[in-house]
Structures are given as C-alpha cells and as structure tokens.
Amino acid sequence: MSFFGGGGAPQQPMQPDPLFAAQTEMEMYTVLFNKLTQSCFKKCASRKHKEPDLHLGEMSCIDRCVAKYMDSQELVGKVLQAANEKQAAQQMQMQQMQQAMGGA
C-alpha cells in the first residue's frame, strides 16, 4: 500500500461519452447564441420599429457587437484552456512524484 494512493490496481482514465460530449457542446452553443442575441439586440435594435427590416446602422451595430462578443468568448476559452492544461500538467507531475515515492 502506498503512502498517497492506497495501492491496488492502477485506475484507467474514463473515456468520455461522445453522446454526452455532443449534447454538452450543443447546450453550450445554445447558451452562447441566446446570450449573444439578447445582448446585441438590446444594444442595437431595442427601439420600437415600424419597419420589418433593420436599418443599415442597426445592422452594422449588430455585426460589431457579434464580432466583439465572439472575440471575448474566444479569449475566455483560451484562458480556460491554458488553466486546464496547467492543472493537467500539475496532476501528471503529482502522479509521477507518487510513483517515484511508491517505488522507492
């Protein structure tokens, strides 16, 4: 029995369920789209209209709003990915330390 882990057979990493991953991704895109739509519509086209179509100024406002929103989401995604990679590296290092101490 090792000091850190309790011994036994090594655990295999869980394989992600592709259906669950697809559903989660779809839910994330739905939330993103709904927030983007609500935010940009409120900023650019919330006035009451008599015309069924957007004016040129409203369309360009929405284009800029969507671009900025997507850029910010991409930046947040990169920061989270870097944090996840750092955490995974730390976990790997901890496992290597545990194995080194268990084997000594």
Side-chain angles (χ1 to χ4, degrees):
M1 179 180 249
S2 84
F3 178 77
F4 290 101
Q11 294 181 355
Q12 295 294 324
M14 291 180 51
Q15 296 296 322
D17 178 16
L19 180 59
F20 178 74
Q23 287 174 328
T24 302
E25 186 174 5
M26 209 47 197
E27 289 171 6
M28 289 172 38
Y29 278 120
T30 300
V31 168
L32 172 69
F33 178 78
N34 288 337
K35 286 183 178 181
L36 180 136
T37 303
Q38 184 180 24
S39 176
C40 291
F41 184 81
K42 184 188 244 183
K43 288 178 183 178
C44 299
S46 63
R47 299 179 302 275
K48 297 197 179 220
H49 302 279
K50 294 183 181 180
E51 299 87 22
D53 297 327
L54 294 173
H55 294 279
L56 181 61
E58 293 167 328
M59 287 188 284
S60 63
C61 177
I62 289 172
D63 286 343
R64 285 190 311 271
C65 180
V66 169
K68 288 178 182 180
Y69 197 96
M70 294 304 290
D71 287 345
S72 67
Q73 290 298 310
E74 182 180 353
L75 180 60
V76 168
K78 286 180 181 179
V79 169
L80 290 175
Q81 183 177 4
N84 286 341
E85 288 171 358
K86 183 178 179 181
Q87 183 180 14
Q90 288 174 342
Q91 287 176 345
M92 181 68 84
Q93 188 177 23
M94 182 64 78
Q95 288 175 350
Q96 290 172 351
M97 288 173 55
Q98 287 175 356
Q99 289 174 354
M101 292 184 84

